Amino acid sequence: MAPVRQQKRSDRIAARIRDLIVARGLKPGDRIPQDWLAEQELKASKGTVREAMKALETQGLIKSRTGPGGGAFVTALSGEQAMGLLGNLFLFNQPTISDIYTLRKLLEPELVAGLAGRLDESAYEKLQATIRLYEHEPETAEEEFAQRVAELDFHSVLASLSDNLILGFVLVFLHRLLRDLAVCRAIYSTPNPGLRETALSYQVRLIRHLKSGDGEAARALMREHMEEAESYMLDRAEVRRRHSADGPAR
């Protein structure tokens, strides 16, 4: 990560407009008042103001419309959009499996400990709906891959249930990074029938702890699961690395 550089004039203007949106309580779909963008109000040239607005549009915070009724309007950046933008940060310097699991081992046990005894039936239905995707044995390699991804989705559903929005976002983003890593996709595509049964057993036990309100048991089970998952993924990645280094048999 490069050190933070001094902000350009346009960046400071963009930050000011963003602060005004929050301070004045504007919502998605609201028009940004034209007087906020006046050159004399911002003490900046028309080009600098235009650059600031373009930056806000790139960030997904505003949308410009032309023609009658046009102008600059507030938009809401979805979590999916934010993760897509953030994912580009790692496009050419991808994290490792160990990088991702270092955080998962710290955060996911605390997540489930905080959720224990606090979820309603609709939350459990979301979790059960994910589990139902891989209750049956897969018939094809493609279905097995989809089931492996659904197992990861179970964790994303758990993260989405957290009252801590930052914790939930970070965990879902980590899950997305795992899906995007080529080595992980290759591992998920490798048949391993025993993993499905292991995942089902773990998730049934976890839901039991969550329903009973036993946060300590939920934390311990998740920590154990994260350690086992990391060990498996690293082992499989090493096998693939060695196979690739050896090359095809002659």
Side-chain angles (χ1 to χ4, degrees):
M1 298 293 292
V4 177
R5 294 178 294 182
Q6 185 176 0
Q7 281 188 317
K8 298 188 300 182
R9 178 65 174 157
S10 59
D11 291 336
R12 294 197 296 272
I13 291 173
R16 179 178 176 181
I17 295 171
R18 185 171 56 245
D19 291 344
L20 281 171
I21 290 172
V22 175
R24 304 296 172 83
L26 268 61
K27 303 297 182 185
D30 289 345
R31 185 198 301 270
I32 294 178
Q34 193 61 37
D35 60 339
W36 290 9
L37 310 178
E39 295 172 50
Q40 60 271 26
E41 174 68 20
L42 295 173
K43 297 181 176 60
S45 68
K46 184 178 296 184
T48 301
V49 175
R50 187 163 50 244
E51 186 178 350
M53 297 300 286
K54 184 64 177 177
L56 290 172
E57 189 164 5
T58 301
Q59 294 167 18
L61 298 178
I62 67 167
K63 181 70 175 178
S64 297
R65 303 176 193 166
T66 58
F73 295 83
V74 178
T75 59
L77 183 67
S78 70
E80 186 66 23
Q81 289 173 308
M83 289 182 194
L85 291 171
L86 189 57
N88 290 337
L89 178 66
F90 299 101
L91 187 61
F92 302 108
N93 188 20
Q94 293 192 336
T96 65
I97 292 173
S98 292
D99 291 336
I100 295 172
Y101 273 95
T102 293
L103 291 177
R104 291 192 73 189
K105 287 186 296 183
L106 288 173
L107 300 180
E108 298 207 32
E110 299 310 310
L111 168 74
V112 295
L115 293 176
R118 302 179 59 233
L119 300 180
D120 57 22
E121 285 304 313
S122 66
Y124 289 117
E125 176 53 36
K126 291 178 183 178
L127 293 170
Q128 293 289 355
T130 306
I131 293 174
R132 281 194 288 272
L133 295 175
Y134 50 92
E135 283 182 326
H136 63 281
E137 292 187 10
E139 297 181 358
T140 64
E142 290 78 12
E143 187 176 10
E144 179 159 1
F145 175 79
Q147 288 186 349
R148 295 296 308 280
V149 172
E151 293 170 20
L152 196 56
D153 288 341
F154 177 89
H155 292 268
S156 292
V157 172
L158 280 172
S160 72
L161 296 172
S162 175
D163 291 334
N164 186 325
L165 297 181
I166 297 177
L167 175 61
F169 179 86
V170 169
L171 286 174
V172 173
F173 180 63
L174 292 175
H175 303 155
R176 177 174 177 144
L177 287 176
L178 279 176
R179 291 188 186 91
D180 289 345
L181 286 177
V183 63
C184 291
R185 292 199 303 271
I187 293 171
Y188 295 153
S189 299
T190 303
N192 191 332
L195 286 180
R196 185 179 62 85
E197 293 296 332
T198 300
L200 285 171
S201 173
Y202 144 73
Q203 287 162 2
V204 168
R205 286 184 290 151
L206 179 64
I207 289 177
R208 187 181 304 126
H209 294 325
L210 293 175
K211 286 186 174 182
S212 69
D214 193 340
E216 286 303 317
R219 178 187 283 115
L221 179 59
M222 180 62 83
R223 184 180 295 115
E224 176 187 342
H225 178 62
M226 286 294 99
E227 290 171 352
E228 291 177 353
E230 178 186 33
S231 178
Y232 172 80
M233 295 295 287
L234 290 176
D235 285 347
R236 294 296 90 196
E238 178 62 17
V239 169
R240 293 189 61 82
R241 187 194 67 76
R242 290 178 179 175
H243 179 76
S244 177
D246 293 341
R250 294 186 180 182

